[in-house]
Amino acid sequence: MGALWDAAKLAEFLGVSQSTIYAGVRETGPGRIPHVKVRGRILFQQEKIVEWLENQPSNKIPEVGMEVEG
C-alpha cells in the first residue's frame, strides 16, 4: 500500500475544500471518492485517487499531438 492521505492533504492536492472531499465520500456511484476508514478516520490511498481521477469523464485530457478544439 502506498501513501495514505487525510482529507486535508487530499483537498490540498485537488485544490478544493475539505467539505467538498467529504461530500465526495458521501456520494454514490462512480463519482464517489475512494476511501478507507481506519479507526473512524477517513483516509485516501494516493494510487486509488490517481486511478479514480483518470477515470472521471471531466478529466479526459487529449493525447499529445491531438488537436484541441476551442
Side-chain angles (χ1 to χ4, degrees):
M1 180 175 359
L4 285 176
W5 292 341
D6 62 10
K9 177 67 177 174
L10 181 58
E12 179 185 334
F13 176 74
L14 296 177
V16 299
S17 69
Q18 286 187 50
S19 60
T20 298
I21 299 301
Y22 290 122
V25 166
R26 289 188 301 271
E27 221 176 278
T28 59
R32 183 176 192 174
I33 298 175
H35 62 280
V36 295
K37 284 189 178 181
V38 178
R39 302 194 80 182
R41 291 185 65 202
I42 297 173
L43 299 172
F44 307 89
Q45 296 173 324
Q46 180 181 4
E47 58 274 353
K48 295 284 185 184
I49 294 299
V50 170
E51 181 181 311
W52 173 77
L53 282 171
E54 290 172 347
N55 290 310
Q56 296 304 300
S58 62
N59 292 321
K60 297 297 180 193
I61 300 170
E63 299 273 333
V64 174
M66 294 181 69
E67 290 186 32
V68 178
E69 293 181 33

